[in-house]
């Protein structure tokens, strides 16, 4: 069978194991069903996720023009501490920014390689952790806007990583850490204006099981720009990556906006 469409990040369902779906305009594919099967991925072209034009992708699935104009990719996305909607100040589009920034946000610890601190909207729990390939995750605080989450993350970045080591994540080289105990150590590290939101005794540790038959010893990343045609046996799915028997890994989210055909 053949499927064709624009890549967007895989949709997920929290379960044992997690279920993954590639969703195209007129079809979808349960990726779990492809485990232990040979598949082919062919690069067809580009389509910007914002303007829908067939323009080369610059970053995050957007063409160059859209990346520097759309409110959906403002600097406050990657740096929540730059959020200003709570002050009524616009970055690019105040209405959009109020909708996204002025809602409950979670600051969390996750284990996808070493301990990582991060921020997500409450509505994205546990999806955000699944997308990062975290084996475990736990909330530290739940705050009413993105700015408060951002300044909490900044305070904790002095003590924890804020990025996932994707190579360790994909080889399952994970530290053994008690996240519940770790959370209790850090209350004094968070800003004074966030102290009232601290989770001290809530039992909310999430554990994720990924559909992986075999973890690779070493990984090599597939780039459709350099390798427009690839074939291999799928042996796992973790985070937003497809893992193949030969150690090749393909970052679906990193290839958003690429039009592909997939042959099963």
């Amino acid at each position: 069978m053949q499927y064709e469409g624009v890549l967007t990040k895989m949709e997920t369902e929290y379960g044992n194991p997690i279920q993954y779906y590639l969703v195209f305009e007129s079809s979808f594919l349960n990726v779990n069903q492809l485990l232990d099967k040979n598949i082919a991925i062919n690069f067809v072209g580009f389509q910007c996720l914002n303007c829908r034009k067939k323009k080369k992708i610059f970053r995050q699935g957007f063409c160059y023009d859209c990346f520097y104009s759309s409110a959906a990719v403002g600097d406050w996305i990657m740096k929540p501490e730059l959020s200003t909607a709570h002050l009524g100040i616009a970055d690019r589009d105040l209405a959009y920014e109020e909708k996204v920034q002025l809602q409950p946000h979670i600051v969390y610890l996750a284990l996808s390689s070493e301990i990582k601190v991060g921020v997500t909207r409450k509505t994205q729990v546990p999806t955000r952790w699944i997308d990062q390939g975290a084996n475990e995750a736990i909330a530290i605080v739940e705050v009413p806007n993105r700015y408060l989450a951002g300044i909490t993350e900044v305070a904790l970045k002095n003590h924890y990583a804020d990025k996932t080591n994707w190579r360790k994540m994909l080889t399952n080289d994970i530290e053994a850490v008690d996240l519940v105990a770790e959370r209790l150590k850090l209350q004094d590290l968070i800003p004074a204006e966030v102290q009232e939101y601290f989770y001290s005794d809530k039992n909310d540790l999430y554990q994720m099981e990924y559909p992986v038959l075999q973890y690779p010893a070493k990984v090599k990343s597939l780039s459709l720009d350099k390798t427009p045609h690839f074939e291999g046996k799928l042996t796992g799915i973790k985070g937003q990556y497809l893992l193949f028997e030969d150690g090749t890994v393909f970052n679906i989210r990193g290839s958003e906006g690429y039009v592909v055909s997939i042959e099963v």
Side-chain angles (χ1 to χ4, degrees):
M1 294 186 66
Q2 181 169 305
Y3 300 83
E4 183 170 318
V6 184
L7 286 178
T8 56
K9 84 179 189 75
M10 289 182 283
E11 299 294 326
T12 59
E13 287 181 351
Y14 183 65
N16 187 16
I18 292 156
Q19 296 293 312
Y20 282 89
Y21 302 89
L22 273 172
V23 180
F24 299 124
E25 186 174 0
S26 57
S27 63
F28 74 93
L29 179 60
N30 182 330
V31 188
N32 296 55
Q33 295 180 357
L34 304 184
L35 287 171
D36 211 27
K37 295 181 180 179
N38 287 306
I39 64 174
I41 303 171
N42 299 291
F43 170 64
V44 176
F46 299 107
Q47 182 176 305
C48 174
L49 298 186
N50 188 58
C51 68
R52 304 294 177 182
K53 295 179 180 178
K54 300 182 186 302
K55 298 169 67 176
K56 183 173 175 61
I57 299 304
F58 180 64
R59 290 180 193 166
Q60 299 176 37
F62 285 34
C63 68
Y64 182 90
D65 291 338
C66 289
F67 184 82
Y68 283 105
S69 62
S70 171
V73 283
D75 288 342
W76 56 270
I77 298 288
M78 300 300 294
K79 296 182 178 181
E81 69 274 14
L82 299 181
S83 298
T84 55
H86 63 292
L87 301 174
I89 299 174
D91 177 30
R92 296 180 179 178
D93 181 339
L94 184 58
Y96 176 87
E97 290 148 11
E98 287 179 336
K99 180 180 177 181
V100 178
Q101 295 178 22
L102 304 185
Q103 61 174 283
H105 278 67
I106 299 289
V107 183
Y108 61 85
L109 295 180
L111 269 179
S112 49
S113 48
E114 57 278 333
I115 301 178
K116 171 193 179 301
V117 62
V119 167
T120 189
R121 287 170 285 163
K122 186 179 181 180
T123 56
Q124 293 301 300
V125 171
T127 302
R128 175 64 171 162
W129 303 331
I130 294 170
D131 289 347
Q132 292 180 338
N135 284 17
E136 296 184 347
I138 195 168
I140 303 167
V141 298
E142 178 186 329
V143 293
N145 62 58
R146 193 170 182 84
Y147 170 76
L148 289 175
I151 63 171
T152 304
E153 182 187 38
V154 168
L156 292 174
K157 282 197 294 189
N158 294 323
H159 307 274
Y160 301 100
D162 66 329
K163 290 181 174 59
T164 298
N165 183 321
W166 63 273
R167 292 182 182 276
K168 287 187 174 183
M169 182 268 286
L170 293 176
T171 55
N172 209 36
D173 181 8
I174 313 297
E175 290 185 6
V177 179
D178 183 341
L179 290 184
V180 175
E182 195 69 31
R183 177 173 62 184
L184 293 176
K185 297 177 184 178
L186 54 74
Q187 181 172 6
D188 292 341
L189 303 177
I190 64 180
E193 58 263 57
V194 182
Q195 286 288 335
E196 64 180 294
Y197 302 107
F198 180 70
Y199 283 3
S200 59
D201 56 3
K202 190 173 180 180
N203 183 18
D204 60 345
L205 179 69
Y206 275 79
Q207 295 178 311
M208 273 64 73
E209 181 177 333
Y210 296 93
V212 178
L213 303 178
Q214 174 184 324
Y215 283 101
K218 292 184 179 180
V219 294
K220 51 186 177 182
S221 183
L222 170 64
S223 166
L224 293 178
D225 294 308
K226 297 178 181 178
T227 308
H229 172 78
F230 173 81
E231 294 186 40
K233 180 182 284 189
L234 185 69
T235 54
I237 317 161
K238 189 175 186 184
Q240 282 288 323
Y241 285 83
L242 305 182
L243 283 61
F244 292 92
E245 188 176 46
D246 67 352
T248 298
V249 296
F250 181 44
N251 184 353
I252 296 291
R253 190 163 198 177
S255 303
E256 286 187 306
Y258 283 64
V259 181
V260 299
S261 67
I262 297 176
E263 297 175 24
V264 180

